[in-house]
Amino acid sequence: HCTRIMIYTHNLMKIYLDTADIEEIRAANETGLIDGVTTNPTLILRSGRTLPDVAKQLVEEFPHFESISTEVVADTVEEMVNQGLSYKDLGSAITIKLPCTVEGLKACKNLSNSGIKTNVTLIFSAAQAVLAAKSGATYVSPFVGRLDDNSVAGLEVVRSISELYRMYGVETNIISASIRSVHRAVRSWYNGARIVTMPPKVFWDMYEHILTKDGLERFQQDWNMSQ
């Protein structure tokens, strides 16, 4: 019975937080519902800290996270690989984010062969996701919001990637990224993304529904009248 419960829990949809703000991660983590974190240079800049410093603290403070994405900023394969390897000793959750470029995918292949988790980011088509998977990527991150901004159906790209991966038994996980609303998060799971990474605000918005609020107020009113 316990084994069945563990398998069921493992197969649930995953929620990652897309932030480098430690306080926001702590608050959300207290719910027990967060599975990982993704960061990028922009988020690190907003935090006012360095990437190595943030990555080290995340690994130490949230050892149960299955993935903590840290992005390389370099132009050549050698630089990307060296940056990625510099994080290797922080822990098994560390995942190196790489761009979907020729150099980025070469680095992905190298790091993946070295047993390091990789997340190919800035994915905007199923074709790019195929290349990333063939490069050994642990995760691919299609940017739903940015696709929508450019009049391309971001969720359709997620669905296309998911269907291709399913057809060919690809083990690379899809992280639906650039999520700006609860609706887009839910539809990402519906369209086959195992993981959705979202800003903390979207996570907290998942709890909200006007009927839940109204129902609680009605229950409270009825309780008060019965006393």
Side-chain angles (χ1 to χ4, degrees):
H1 179 67
C2 290
T3 301
R4 289 199 298 271
I5 291 175
M6 289 177 67
I7 292 173
Y8 174 74
T9 300
H10 178 72
N11 289 330
L12 282 174
M13 296 76 69
K14 303 287 186 176
I15 297 175
Y16 289 3
L17 285 186
D18 194 31
T19 181
D21 188 312
I22 298 295
E23 292 302 323
E24 289 186 329
I25 296 171
R26 284 175 181 157
N29 181 62
E30 288 180 0
T31 67
L33 303 179
I34 304 302
D35 302 289
V37 168
T38 57
T39 66
N40 61 45
T42 302
L43 294 174
I44 295 296
L45 179 63
R46 289 176 186 167
S47 75
R49 304 172 65 190
T50 66
L51 180 53
D53 183 38
V54 172
K56 185 173 186 296
Q57 182 172 0
L58 288 174
V59 169
E60 293 175 349
E61 191 165 340
F62 309 101
H64 57 288
F65 283 175
E66 64 182 22
S67 177
I68 297 170
S69 284
T70 56
E71 189 163 349
V72 299
V73 182
D75 296 320
T76 68
V77 175
E78 292 75 16
E79 289 174 325
M80 291 181 191
V81 170
N82 287 336
Q83 283 188 32
L85 290 174
S86 71
Y87 295 106
K88 183 177 182 179
D89 292 337
L90 287 179
S92 60
I94 286 294
T95 303
I96 305 304
K97 287 180 73 175
L98 301 146
C100 190
T101 61
V102 172
E103 298 293 288
L105 294 187
K106 287 180 181 178
C108 177
K109 189 78 170 178
N110 189 306
L111 291 169
S112 296
N113 288 340
S114 298
I116 298 174
K117 292 179 182 177
T118 52
N119 176 3
V120 176
T121 188
L122 294 172
I123 293 283
F124 295 100
S125 71
Q128 290 178 316
V130 168
L131 296 178
K134 288 179 65 64
S135 297
T138 313
Y139 307 95
V140 293
S141 295
F143 276 37
V144 172
R146 292 198 197 178
L147 282 163
D148 291 342
D149 290 345
N150 287 275
S151 301
V152 178
L155 292 171
E156 177 62 20
V157 173
V158 171
R159 189 201 63 78
S160 297
I161 296 170
S162 175
E163 186 63 15
L164 272 173
Y165 282 5
R166 184 194 64 79
M167 289 172 60
Y168 290 93
V170 176
E171 296 183 357
T172 300
N173 291 285
I174 302 169
I175 302 178
S176 188
S178 186
I179 297 298
R180 299 166 186 168
S181 69
V182 173
H183 174 267
R184 282 300 192 249
V186 172
R187 297 303 294 182
S188 291
W189 285 308
Y190 183 82
N191 281 279
R194 175 78 182 283
I195 306 156
V196 175
T197 186
M198 60 187 73
K201 181 183 184 304
V202 174
F203 170 69
W204 294 116
D205 284 349
M206 289 179 67
Y207 286 87
E208 301 297 327
H209 196 287
I210 185 60
L211 295 180
T212 302
K213 180 180 178 181
D214 288 350
L216 286 172
E217 290 177 352
R218 177 61 182 270
F219 290 158
Q220 186 63 53
Q221 290 172 3
D222 290 346
W223 171 259
N224 293 341
M225 292 176 62
S226 69
Q227 299 309 300

